[in-house]
Amino acid sequence: MFESAEIGRSIAKDVYEKEVVMLREALLEAQYELQQQGRFAVLILINGIEGAGKGETVKLLNEWMDPRLIQVNTFDRPTDEELARPPAWRYWRQLPPKGRMGIFFGDWYSQMLQGRVHGRIKSAQLDQYIDGTLSMERMLSDEGTLIFKFWFHLSKQQMKARLKALRDDPLHSWRISPLDWQQSRTYNKFVEVGERLLRRTSRDYAPWYVVEGADQYYRSLTVGRILLDGLQAALKSRERITSHPHAAPMISSLDERGLLESLDMTQALDKGDYNEQLAIEQASLSSLLRDKRMRKHSLVAVFEGNDAAGKGGAIRRVIGALDPRQYRIVPVAAPTDEERQQPYLWRFWRHLPARGQFTLFDRSWYGRVLVERVEEFCSPSDWLRAYGEINDFEQQMTDAGVVLVKFWLAIDQKTQLKRFKEREKIPFKRFKITEEDWRNREKWPLYRDAVGDMVDRTSTEIAPWTLVEANDKRFARIKVLRTINQALEEAFKKD
Amino acid sequence: MFESAEIGRSIAKDVYEKEVVMLREALLEAQYELQQQGRFAVLILINGIEGAGKGETVKLLNEWMDPRLIQVNTFDRPTDEELARPPAWRYWRQLPPKGRMGIFFGDWYSQMLQGRVHGRIKSAQLDQYIDGTLSMERMLSDEGTLIFKFWFHLSKQQMKARLKALRDDPLHSWRISPLDWQQSRTYNKFVEVGERLLRRTSRDYAPWYVVEGADQYYRSLTVGRILLDGLQAALKSRERITSHPHAAPMISSLDERGLLESLDMTQALDKGDYNEQLAIEQASLSSLLRDKRMRKHSLVAVFEGNDAAGKGGAIRRVIGALDPRQYRIVPVAAPTDEERQQPYLWRFWRHLPARGQFTLFDRSWYGRVLVERVEEFCSPSDWLRAYGEINDFEQQMTDAGVVLVKFWLAIDQKTQLKRFKEREKIPFKRFKITEEDWRNREKWPLYRDAVGDMVDRTSTEIAPWTLVEANDKRFARIKVLRTINQALEEAFKKD
């Protein structure tokens, strides 16, 4: 895989200097066009052999182009805020918005490489990480991000010569850390793992470019050309290409029956039982959240449901016995313009709780496959691929110790009508009922199908859906609380 | 100050229960109205004696109102990201957006109280902190934030009884940390410092409310009523009241001369000198940023100037010899909608560098007193008060070790015209010239006045303006680099 990048490629200085003038102008043009279109972001991942010119090339890109529109990020040591969340959180928070370029140093590949070379990651684990990487990059690409992955290469001899030269150069010697030298010894291992990474993660939507790094002119011009070609092609194709050959459009159930129809909606609790059980479950949740074992976990509860199904009321009962410093409620409304400049899931990633914390999402990332699907706010290919993206997202959470519970609060149409009418009558509830609610009601069958598909495709072992029969509010609230408590207890048991 | 909160106030349970029903509905109404208007944010600061019901009251507020629109924040231990920035950064990042309520526990008053009671803060220092607090709250209020400051009080006897009761209650005993008990011993000191804080910081725009905490009914109803009255009054007064009796509108200089006219615009450098000095200054900056002493500082450079004065070019030369991982350029454009929901300076606070880092602002918070003033994007009272707010902001930076340099790149009208015409001719520069630039040019005298006032009012000992004669780009770039280097050297000398 790296053979053709060890043959000593080079370019004469005068050729380089002539070419570079035109290249710079074209790159600048492309960069401003990118900003003006504002349709997609560009992500450049920098990896490869130490001393192969990674840093120099990034510096050059900043010289050639307008550095104000380029964001360079390194990911050495995670901060404590980052350590308290799933590993990908630190990448998500640094993603470039549409119209901009982001350059990632020390990205997910470096983490895998360093981890594997130094034995912190086992071989099978590496494959898991690679799978995660593929999903992440696929998602980014589907969201319109243009991804370039560069591997700067040197043969072992080339590297040794280069590191020695750098060490002897007083202007550069500060840059050579002991780790880099150590890498000289582990060159073989590094290249072996690198090859495996490149082989498994080079895809049409996020290809690797191996660049021989020995000659600065060859290296710089190559990277510049690749970027320019990729940028120009993407800027020209005004259409997002999204093909999903294997995703047959879903059809509504032939018998007009679904999971929701099979719920026993008559379940109810009388007031006495309710009050007693509420006190027990609330006390239990309060003490579970104060449990020492909670320090290794965080808790995320997702509330979805029909309009007027009682999400708000259920949430209030869940937090009823908690100290407000322990939880945060995230009400999900229309995305802000900063959120619109990012991949869909970005606005949920930013709210993930740190370890020990509890976040309740009042509506959630499932909006994509519910309201956005039904109202056609996004294309079918967008919501069709969302199922997989969501499963990946949730796996990342649970892998990081997040206890995730998801509720669909279901009521029947009759109950909804009754509640809508009540809301219109009570002054302080009239805010809760709008024209939109009535419109949504007419789309009941569409929502039923959407909910069915959602549960079929995203109720997983690691993050099952809990369907809550919510015609009786008391029954629903207790079921919600009990489910959360059981999830925490099970998580603690496994520790 | 606390006498009337030690007389054993109480309310009968049945009175309370009757009152509360109406109070809750009214609070809910007000809260939704707040959201719908979206005109201002509400900030509630919670302080006072341990065991006086602070936590209980906040819990109750979340029960009474819609907890989805309330954000509760605690500020115990700062994270490492917070420790690397000016102390107020952690408060800024948690400010509630317009239309929402934020409740701060362990806010700036707790920090001052704990610090002074335990001797970490000297008396004179406390006064400085108080001054900072006053500026912060004044600014928030001017930006439309409705501030409530609650002091929950108990007499010493009441506190002792309460803490004992809590300790003996198995459901609560976990909440009493050793520190709290210690506070029982330091009650006198705590109250003494508290009185000083309240006396000095109770203002019409952010008054303190002392609430006797012994009786839960009295306490809860009192807080609820105060909130409701304040909210309703603010919601009714559709106009923001901003009076600035002492801020006489500024007038243009009578002799049509200003600081900018006194610059020697003929200063220039020939190419040879320039190249030599550029190499020296760039190398010097690169090594200063790698200096160990930089770990205690961060560097912020602000670039303002006439259109086409060469800000972009100067920025490129500043970063010319730097590793792109060391700096970040923040191009300041129109605020995003999230930024518009916050006080003006919020969008700059969020980009402040951590210690060891370097941030370049391409345009900055001075937009308020430049373009926003000239184009009348904000009211005169907004930009008139901005001078003081900016000085406070910059003082907070420099107090925290930020080395702050501010550049105004000045060119004359003739030079600007020449550059505009050049830009229109060169393909990859045509993005840099718009209709707006031509329009701005017609407002030259207005900008001249604005710049004069800006320098007069914000060129301070801790953060002086550097006026850069920029008719000659080479001269300007060297002056910028040299100024930055000197600022760093001086800061290091003082360490």
Side-chain angles (χ1 to χ4, degrees):
Chain A
M1 184 159 272
F2 299 127
E3 292 83 347
S4 80
E6 299 184 353
I7 59 179
R9 293 168 189 273
S10 71
I11 279 183
K13 191 181 175 187
D14 57 330
V15 178
Y16 171 80
E17 281 174 350
K18 223 177 89 190
E19 288 258 334
V20 146
V21 179
M22 271 147 38
L23 180 64
R24 287 182 63 165
E25 285 188 18
L27 277 171
L28 258 181
E29 281 263 7
Q31 199 189 12
Y32 289 125
E33 180 69 27
L34 173 74
Q35 185 193 20
Q36 307 242 309
Q37 286 192 12
R39 278 191 309 127
F40 59 91
V42 176
L43 184 61
I44 302 169
L45 306 182
I46 304 290
N47 289 278
I49 304 297
E50 201 57 38
K54 299 193 289 282
E56 288 91 326
T57 308
V58 172
K59 190 163 168 302
L60 207 60
L61 291 177
N62 273 275
E63 275 170 46
W64 286 352
M65 289 187 277
D66 190 332
R68 293 173 288 190
L69 304 174
I70 304 175
Q71 236 173 256
V72 179
N73 298 285
T74 356
F75 300 93
D76 310 324
R77 245 170 306 154
T79 67
D80 52 11
E81 295 185 34
E82 290 169 342
L83 284 170
R85 293 177 174 84
W89 191 74
R90 56 201 307 238
Y91 304 119
W92 276 90
R93 70 197 297 224
Q94 303 291 1
L95 286 179
K98 285 170 188 163
R100 298 285 178 95
M101 308 175 89
I103 300 181
F104 279 12
F105 262 107
D107 52 39
W108 40 86
Y109 290 106
S110 308
Q111 312 296 332
M112 289 190 275
L113 269 160
Q114 297 291 343
R116 182 73 192 119
V117 167
H118 299 113
R120 288 190 305 271
I121 301 178
K122 299 261 168 285
S123 177
Q125 253 182 318
L126 185 62
D127 276 328
Q128 289 181 323
Y129 290 140
I130 289 173
D131 289 341
T133 295
L134 284 171
S135 310
M136 172 88 176
E137 293 179 0
R138 173 87 232 187
M139 179 279 304
L140 287 174
S141 158
D142 283 335
E143 293 278 345
T145 307
L146 185 62
I147 304 175
F148 297 90
K149 302 190 288 198
F150 288 107
W151 179 275
F152 291 82
H153 197 73
L154 290 176
S155 70
K156 199 191 265 186
Q157 283 67 31
Q158 284 171 331
M159 185 189 74
K160 282 186 176 165
R162 171 96 171 127
L163 292 184
K164 191 177 174 314
L166 285 178
R167 190 184 45 180
D168 295 344
D169 179 348
L171 272 174
H172 282 96
S173 56
W174 60 273
R175 286 215 249 182
I176 307 299
S177 71
L179 236 179
D180 304 335
W181 281 105
Q182 186 183 328
Q183 196 185 300
S184 159
R185 270 174 271 135
T186 48
Y187 177 92
N188 292 343
K189 184 82 182 153
F190 197 87
V191 165
E192 182 200 315
V193 181
E195 242 188 42
R196 178 161 157 206
L197 283 179
L198 265 63
R199 191 181 67 238
R200 291 228 30 221
T201 63
S202 214
R203 299 291 153 122
D204 53 344
Y205 53 84
W208 275 102
Y209 300 97
V210 177
V211 180
E212 182 168 339
D215 177 68
Q216 57 168 314
Y217 301 126
Y218 173 81
R219 174 180 82 208
S220 309
L221 215 52
T222 305
V223 171
R225 280 245 155 267
I226 291 168
L227 271 183
L228 181 63
D229 291 350
L231 265 171
Q232 285 179 336
L235 289 166
K236 249 178 248 155
S237 76
R238 310 284 313 195
E239 288 297 303
R240 252 173 67 196
I241 304 146
T242 46
S243 63
H244 288 266
H246 298 299
M250 280 172 247
I251 49 158
S252 42
S253 47
L254 298 177
D255 60 354
E256 291 286 308
R257 277 177 50 88
L259 258 179
L260 294 175
E261 279 69 25
S262 64
L263 296 177
D264 174 5
M265 299 298 277
T266 63
Q267 292 178 92
L269 268 183
D270 71 34
K271 204 167 180 183
D273 286 351
Y274 169 70
N275 283 333
E276 193 181 324
Q277 291 180 35
L278 185 69
I280 293 171
E281 296 297 341
Q282 284 187 334
S284 168
L285 178 58
S286 168
S287 94
L288 284 164
L289 286 178
R290 292 195 316 263
D291 193 294
K292 261 188 199 165
R293 289 167 292 182
M294 187 65 201
R295 288 183 206 157
K296 282 202 249 170
H297 296 278
S298 58
L299 176 60
V300 170
V302 167
F303 290 85
E304 297 280 358
N306 302 108
D307 290 326
K311 290 191 296 295
I315 289 173
R316 289 163 77 112
R317 297 325 178 281
V318 169
I319 60 171
L322 304 182
D323 186 318
R325 288 165 279 195
Q326 285 184 302
Y327 62 82
R328 171 148 304 192
I329 306 173
V330 179
V332 174
T336 66
D337 52 15
E338 290 182 44
E339 290 170 341
R340 265 187 290 263
Q341 298 310 310
Q342 296 285 357
Y344 177 69
L345 289 172
W346 189 82
R347 63 198 184 105
F348 307 104
W349 269 99
R350 70 195 299 210
H351 291 300
L352 284 194
R355 252 182 277 282
Q357 298 289 309
F358 175 22
T359 297
L360 302 92
F361 285 92
D362 180 13
R363 303 195 189 275
S364 70
W365 43 95
Y366 285 100
R368 191 73 157 189
V369 298
L370 295 169
V371 57
E372 293 196 30
R373 166 184 172 175
V374 171
E375 301 289 341
E376 299 181 7
F377 293 158
C378 65
S379 71
S381 69
D382 283 332
W383 61 259
L384 277 165
R385 69 183 159 80
Y387 299 109
E389 290 171 8
I390 287 172
N391 285 334
D392 290 340
F393 174 40
E394 295 182 351
Q395 168 145 25
Q396 291 183 69
M397 278 196 250
T398 53
D399 281 352
V402 177
V403 177
L404 175 61
V405 283
K406 308 186 293 195
F407 298 104
W408 176 266
L409 271 63
I411 51 175
D412 56 31
Q413 282 185 280
K414 217 179 85 191
T415 307
Q416 190 185 52
L417 186 64
K418 208 180 101 206
R419 291 191 188 166
F420 276 13
K421 288 189 172 163
E422 272 167 21
R423 286 187 173 184
E424 288 185 323
K425 269 184 245 153
I426 304 173
F428 69 93
K429 284 198 170 173
R430 68 188 150 76
F431 290 101
K432 293 170 95 179
I433 179 91
T434 63
E435 277 303 307
E436 209 189 314
D437 293 319
W438 288 105
R439 275 198 306 277
N440 285 346
R441 192 172 148 76
E442 284 161 29
K443 296 181 177 160
W444 190 277
L446 293 176
Y447 275 102
R448 187 191 49 206
D449 289 345
V451 173
D453 288 339
M454 173 182 83
V455 174
D456 285 349
R457 299 192 161 217
T458 63
S459 198
T460 60
E461 192 197 351
I462 53 165
W465 273 101
T466 302
L467 302 179
V468 182
E469 302 81 351
N471 271 1
D472 180 73
K473 288 182 180 177
R474 293 192 287 250
F475 177 85
R477 291 166 186 172
I478 298 297
K479 182 163 177 179
V480 164
L481 264 163
R482 191 166 288 154
T483 305
I484 293 176
N485 288 335
Q486 283 167 353
L488 281 176
E489 280 159 14
E490 267 170 48
F492 290 172
K493 237 181 268 169
K494 282 187 207 147
D495 282 343
Chain B
M1 186 159 271
F2 299 127
E3 290 84 347
S4 80
E6 299 185 354
I7 59 177
R9 293 168 189 273
S10 70
I11 278 183
K13 191 180 175 189
D14 57 328
V15 177
Y16 171 80
E17 280 173 352
K18 222 178 91 193
E19 287 259 336
V20 146
V21 179
M22 269 147 39
L23 180 64
R24 288 183 64 167
E25 287 188 17
L27 276 172
L28 259 181
E29 280 263 9
Q31 199 189 12
Y32 289 126
E33 179 69 28
L34 173 73
Q35 184 191 22
Q36 307 241 311
Q37 287 192 10
R39 278 190 308 127
F40 61 90
V42 176
L43 184 61
I44 301 169
L45 306 181
I46 303 290
N47 289 278
I49 304 297
E50 200 58 37
K54 298 194 290 281
E56 288 91 330
T57 308
V58 172
K59 189 162 168 300
L60 207 61
L61 291 177
N62 272 276
E63 276 171 44
W64 286 353
M65 290 186 277
D66 190 331
R68 293 174 289 190
L69 303 174
I70 303 175
Q71 235 173 255
V72 178
N73 297 285
T74 354
F75 300 93
D76 310 324
R77 246 171 305 154
T79 67
D80 52 13
E81 295 185 32
E82 291 170 342
L83 284 170
R85 291 177 175 84
W89 191 74
R90 56 200 310 236
Y91 303 119
W92 276 89
R93 71 199 295 226
Q94 303 290 3
L95 286 179
K98 286 170 186 162
R100 299 286 179 93
M101 307 174 90
I103 300 180
F104 280 12
F105 262 106
D107 52 40
W108 40 87
Y109 290 106
S110 309
Q111 310 296 332
M112 289 190 276
L113 268 160
Q114 297 291 343
R116 183 70 191 121
V117 166
H118 297 113
R120 289 190 306 272
I121 301 178
K122 299 261 169 285
S123 176
Q125 253 182 319
L126 184 64
D127 276 329
Q128 289 180 324
Y129 290 139
I130 290 174
D131 289 341
T133 295
L134 284 171
S135 310
M136 172 88 175
E137 293 179 1
R138 172 88 230 188
M139 178 278 304
L140 287 174
S141 158
D142 283 335
E143 293 278 344
T145 307
L146 185 63
I147 305 174
F148 296 89
K149 303 190 289 198
F150 288 106
W151 179 275
F152 290 83
H153 197 72
L154 290 177
S155 69
K156 199 192 262 186
Q157 282 68 29
Q158 284 171 331
M159 185 188 75
K160 283 187 175 164
R162 172 95 171 127
L163 292 183
K164 189 174 175 314
L166 285 176
R167 191 183 45 180
D168 295 344
D169 178 348
L171 272 175
H172 283 95
S173 56
W174 59 274
R175 286 215 250 182
I176 307 298
S177 69
L179 236 179
D180 303 337
W181 280 106
Q182 188 184 327
Q183 196 187 299
S184 160
R185 271 174 270 135
T186 49
Y187 177 91
N188 292 342
K189 183 85 182 152
F190 196 88
V191 165
E192 183 199 315
V193 180
E195 242 189 43
R196 179 161 158 206
L197 283 179
L198 265 63
R199 192 181 64 237
R200 289 230 30 222
T201 63
S202 211
R203 301 288 154 124
D204 53 343
Y205 54 84
W208 275 101
Y209 299 97
V210 177
V211 179
E212 183 168 338
D215 177 67
Q216 57 168 312
Y217 302 126
Y218 173 81
R219 174 179 81 209
S220 309
L221 215 53
T222 304
V223 171
R225 280 246 154 262
I226 291 169
L227 271 183
L228 181 63
D229 291 349
L231 266 171
Q232 286 179 334
L235 289 166
K236 249 178 249 155
S237 76
R238 311 283 314 194
E239 288 297 303
R240 251 173 69 199
I241 303 147
T242 47
S243 63
H244 288 269
H246 298 299
M250 279 171 247
I251 49 158
S252 41
S253 47
L254 299 177
D255 59 356
E256 291 285 308
R257 277 175 51 88
L259 258 178
L260 294 175
E261 278 68 26
S262 64
L263 296 177
D264 174 7
M265 299 299 278
T266 63
Q267 292 178 92
L269 268 182
D270 71 35
K271 203 168 181 181
D273 285 350
Y274 169 71
N275 283 334
E276 194 182 320
Q277 291 179 35
L278 185 69
I280 293 172
E281 296 297 341
Q282 284 187 335
S284 168
L285 178 58
S286 169
S287 94
L288 283 165
L289 286 178
R290 293 196 314 264
D291 192 294
K292 262 188 200 166
R293 289 169 290 183
M294 187 64 200
R295 287 183 208 157
K296 282 202 249 169
H297 295 279
S298 60
L299 176 60
V300 170
V302 167
F303 290 84
E304 297 281 357
N306 302 108
D307 289 327
K311 290 190 297 294
I315 288 172
R316 289 163 77 112
R317 297 325 178 284
V318 169
I319 60 170
L322 304 183
D323 186 317
R325 287 165 280 194
Q326 285 183 301
Y327 62 81
R328 170 146 303 192
I329 305 173
V330 179
V332 174
T336 66
D337 53 15
E338 290 182 43
E339 290 170 340
R340 265 187 287 264
Q341 299 310 310
Q342 295 285 357
Y344 177 70
L345 288 172
W346 189 82
R347 63 197 183 107
F348 307 104
W349 270 100
R350 71 194 298 206
H351 292 299
L352 285 194
R355 254 182 277 280
Q357 298 289 309
F358 176 21
T359 298
L360 303 93
F361 284 92
D362 181 12
R363 302 195 190 273
S364 69
W365 43 95
Y366 285 100
R368 192 72 158 187
V369 297
L370 295 169
V371 57
E372 292 195 33
R373 165 183 172 174
V374 171
E375 302 290 341
E376 299 181 7
F377 292 157
C378 65
S379 71
S381 69
D382 283 332
W383 61 259
L384 278 165
R385 70 181 160 82
Y387 298 109
E389 289 171 7
I390 287 173
N391 285 334
D392 290 339
F393 174 40
E394 295 182 351
Q395 168 145 24
Q396 290 182 70
M397 280 197 246
T398 53
D399 282 351
V402 178
V403 178
L404 175 61
V405 282
K406 309 186 292 195
F407 298 105
W408 176 266
L409 272 64
I411 51 175
D412 56 31
Q413 281 185 282
K414 218 179 84 192
T415 307
Q416 190 185 52
L417 185 64
K418 207 179 102 209
R419 291 192 187 164
F420 276 13
K421 287 188 172 164
E422 273 168 23
R423 286 185 173 186
E424 287 185 322
K425 269 184 245 155
I426 304 173
F428 71 92
K429 285 199 170 173
R430 69 188 149 77
F431 290 102
K432 293 170 96 177
I433 178 93
T434 63
E435 277 304 307
E436 208 188 314
D437 293 320
W438 288 105
R439 273 199 306 277
N440 285 346
R441 192 172 148 76
E442 284 161 28
K443 296 183 177 160
W444 191 277
L446 293 176
Y447 274 101
R448 188 190 50 206
D449 289 344
V451 173
D453 288 339
M454 173 182 83
V455 175
D456 284 349
R457 298 191 163 217
T458 62
S459 199
T460 60
E461 193 198 350
I462 53 165
W465 273 99
T466 302
L467 302 179
V468 182
E469 302 81 354
N471 271 1
D472 180 74
K473 288 183 180 176
R474 294 193 284 252
F475 177 84
R477 291 167 185 171
I478 298 298
K479 181 163 178 179
V480 163
L481 265 162
R482 191 165 290 153
T483 305
I484 294 176
N485 288 335
Q486 282 167 353
L488 281 176
E489 281 160 12
E490 266 170 49
F492 290 172
K493 238 181 268 167
K494 281 187 207 149
D495 282 344

